[in-house]
Amino acid sequence: MLVLGGSVLIVGLWDLLAWLTGDERQKFAAIAQLSSAGIIGALGGGLFFFTRGGDDYLGRREALLLVGMSWLIGAALAALPFFLWAHLDPAVDPNHPFLRFIDCYFESMSGLTTTGASVLGTTPNDIESLPPGLLLWRATTHWMGGLGIVVLFVAVLPTLGVGGKKLFNFESTGPTKSGVKPRIRETARVLWLIYLGLTAVQTIALMICGMSLFDAICHTFATLATGGFSTRNASIGDPQFGPAIYIVITVFMLFAGVNFGLYYQLFRGKTSNVFRDPELRLYLTMLAIASIILSVNLINMPIHTTGGQYIGSASVGEAIQHGTFQAVSIQTTTGFVSADFNHWPFISQATLVTIMFFGGCAGSTGGGVKVIRVLIAFKVLLSSAERVFRPNAIRPVKIGKMAVDPDVRLDTVVYVLGIIVLSFVGGVLIMMFEDGRPKGDMLTCFTASVATLNNIGPGLHLVGATENFGDFSGLSKALMSLLMALGRIEVYAIFVLFVPRFWRTE
Amino acid sequence: MLVLGGSVLIVGLWDLLAWLTGDERQKFAAIAQLSSAGIIGALGGGLFFFTRGGDDYLGRREALLLVGMSWLIGAALAALPFFLWAHLDPAVDPNHPFLRFIDCYFESMSGLTTTGASVLGTTPNDIESLPPGLLLWRATTHWMGGLGIVVLFVAVLPTLGVGGKKLFNFESTGPTKSGVKPRIRETARVLWLIYLGLTAVQTIALMICGMSLFDAICHTFATLATGGFSTRNASIGDPQFGPAIYIVITVFMLFAGVNFGLYYQLFRGKTSNVFRDPELRLYLTMLAIASIILSVNLINMPIHTTGGQYIGSASVGEAIQHGTFQAVSIQTTTGFVSADFNHWPFISQATLVTIMFFGGCAGSTGGGVKVIRVLIAFKVLLSSAERVFRPNAIRPVKIGKMAVDPDVRLDTVVYVLGIIVLSFVGGVLIMMFEDGRPKGDMLTCFTASVATLNNIGPGLHLVGATENFGDFSGLSKALMSLLMALGRIEVYAIFVLFVPRFWRTE
């Protein structure tokens, strides 16, 4: 809470400065953010004060509780600036989604989980009509969420032995004599430096390609977190953004989808491990294949930009530009859009839906089920088939040179199946909530479920590239917020909160 | 082949008798079937003659090969009567689907796998325009396929230790000193008697309810095999069929979805085991819940019969009649239809799609992933979730009083995931094959994939209750035939045929 409050404070002070130097639009954004900072800071400070000197033991169950509640409560607090601004600024449209708290919660959950689905979009309540201060805050929730998830999955959970520890190609494998805290702190410090370094490099690169400092910072925050919030209605399809910007963003999305544990190893000088990493290799291979399928499939196909222009049949260059960009954006679950893929041929759409499900690498800021799980699940499927006709041949399932532990095999397949079941149940519930409403069709509701659970952002049809989530009912928005949180922290840390046995002491 | 040839011969002789006693429609059906019987008999006899005295060793790989090839080749042979009839009878419409061999193959594969999806349906090439002899042959393929699958999964495979042996609540658990053949023969003999007994009872019951002998036999064959081919265009929704017929068919569909191993135990007098069977209990519970959901959901909803009449808002009685019938027909994967569920509300459709996936019990004639697998997968999911916050509590996954073997846990979850992946891949391929054709929409193609892979029959939209599979391209029909075979023999026995390692000797 203190970190969150501090971040709102910084953005609020920047708003204040902008207002004082003449930008009237920033006035109510500044007031909303400084008040939010006060409220969040008071809450966090109060909790800190009253729990001082308590037992600071952090076991497995406490860690899960902390993680689960962080996202659920954090999103409510991060929603305050949106909500307060909409109620303070008299110029706000009476139908503005931010006047409803559930919409603000959806937006900030989408930010913190690095999903990038937005309730904004319909004129006059479009993205570009927000004060710059709120656009920066949206991007900041991405950036913080991305950093949080990397630290959580690369530094905290493996050290505590919770969750997918064994999935990570990572040196720390459990508590040592010196205790876990120093190690977590040290790893987190390095990850933070790497994240900050990437942020600085991408911001400068985008400015060199012609973006303003403001746009460059916001898009960098959204890229490295594989979030997807843009400052423009047309996302990266904005006519001001040229091919150089596409290339920079594509490269950094690709970086963001890599296991940050590998950057940590690079930082430590262990380069050979990194390039032999089977997940990284498969990740790059998948991206290459998807980009080629899309690029080839799009040649001579009609391209509609997200700005609403029809730019005619795609030349080879345009097919590569949009095909590669969209493949990387969707597989890394960033969700930036450059062209309206609702108009694309079925093969392209099927490829996008498939890779959105695969997602980034474990330990990256990307969502989805993660490349390493896809790899393990695929190998387990093959070995199961072989066992039918050769039940006595014991052939271990290997990833790289390591045999995969039987428990991990089961957990991985269970996880993939669980995500599919959750996507289906989510889709059915959304359809029930949207019955008779404008977004009640099957393709919209089911891809909305998949796109939120896998932290991607856009889906297909009425949640496609040029659409938004504003017209869903409050119930659906609440459900999708839960799905985003579930997907982001890999289900269990939220799921167990609803399991009675979790709360029982042994 | 000899059994198949013998069956065609019997049906052909009945046709001949009908023709000689004055039914002109039967003439070419009789000729086609008697010629087919000759061809199949010659092939089977030839193989028998030339392989006489060879090694009759039947190991695991040979059994899988035999099973896989039986369905793939059997369907080609069982398609002969359709194909020959269409080419012999000069009165056949020039667009009749049976003039194309792939359509005949699809139809007979659909029969033998007890799926019930048909290429027939559009006037003048509708079901009722076929000569009775071919309608009887369609039903006979169901009946033989159903018997074959029960014998295979209850008598043959468990004794050989292939496939899902441990899934079955069944006493035989492997080869004994006396060898496997006597036991297989004995079990198969009892199963055959049970199947025959059920056939006789249902036929008589349907006749008491007013069906003709011919209709009663055909519908009994299709019911006990959970097939779904009817002799009427409107299936069970035919206006001549009253509520008593609905009740009889519902009850026998329910019987057909039960593990035939349980009937074997009843036959042996072990009644107590049967009613404690966890799969049977869950199966009945699921059917009850689905029937209640559909019945309640349908009250006051518009009901369109499959005959095309709109019979107004459903009374409570009509809602129960159609809701229960359709729930049982779809979960047992029979696929008989009484009302056009394309018009039903979303909750009913979602319920139908969910239970079509669950399917019947293992060792029944029903398809789907089987109730026992759903039960195991669900328990494994829960235990996986618990392990996250309590990694040291070793709690075995239990079904009834038996702990589930870890290998079975993994195999079950892998199977369920594999079916989902196959459904998706099937749907994508069908969409690609149907691009620009009348049945190219997503709901049609994906439910066609699910409905064939799970051996149900009807899907939704353009493969819904009143539709048929005739307008698909040849490629799609070939793929769906493969999906039916894969689903029917639980994937592996076909899948392994495509695995190079299967063919290699150790």
Side-chain angles (χ1 to χ4, degrees), chain B residues 130-143:
Chain B
L130 277 197
L134 289 185
L135 291 178
L136 181 60
W137 177 237
R138 283 168 94 230
T140 307
T141 56
H142 271 342
W143 193 76

Side-chain angles (χ1 to χ4, degrees), chain A residues 384 386-387 390 411 501, chain B residues 384 386-387 390 411 501:
Chain A
S384 254
E386 188 179 355
R387 206 134 35 89
R390 202 161 288 165
D411 286 345
R501 221 180 257 165
Chain B
S384 253
E386 188 179 355
R387 206 135 33 91
R390 201 162 288 165
D411 286 346
R501 217 179 260 166

Side-chain angles (χ1 to χ4, degrees), chain A residues 167-181:
Chain A
L167 288 179
F168 295 95
N169 182 1
F170 191 63
E171 60 180 359
S172 103
T173 49
T176 57
K177 274 181 197 160
S178 59
V180 298
K181 280 196 177 171

Side-chain angles (χ1 to χ4, degrees), chain A residues 41-42 103 117 141-142 191 251 350 368 386 399 407 419 445 456 499:
Chain A
D103 287 66
T141 56
H142 272 343
L191 289 174
V251 168
E386 188 179 355
I399 300 295
D407 271 1
I419 290 291
C445 292
I456 296 142
V499 177

Side-chain angles (χ1 to χ4, degrees), chain B residues 430-441 462 470-474 476-477:
Chain B
I430 295 170
M431 286 229 35
M432 285 169 57
F433 297 156
E434 298 306 307
D435 192 29
R437 295 177 57 96
K439 303 218 169 182
D441 71 285
L462 298 179
D471 289 337
F472 282 111
S473 64
S476 290
K477 282 174 190 151

Side-chain angles (χ1 to χ4, degrees), chain A residues 254-282:
Chain A
L254 196 147
F255 285 163
V258 171
N259 185 349
F260 274 66
L262 296 180
Y263 296 134
Y264 180 84
Q265 296 202 352
L266 275 186
F267 188 86
R268 292 271 159 128
K270 299 182 182 164
T271 48
S272 62
N273 289 350
V274 172
F275 298 106
R276 275 203 301 265
D277 185 69
E279 185 182 25
L280 179 64
R281 288 177 170 203
L282 181 59

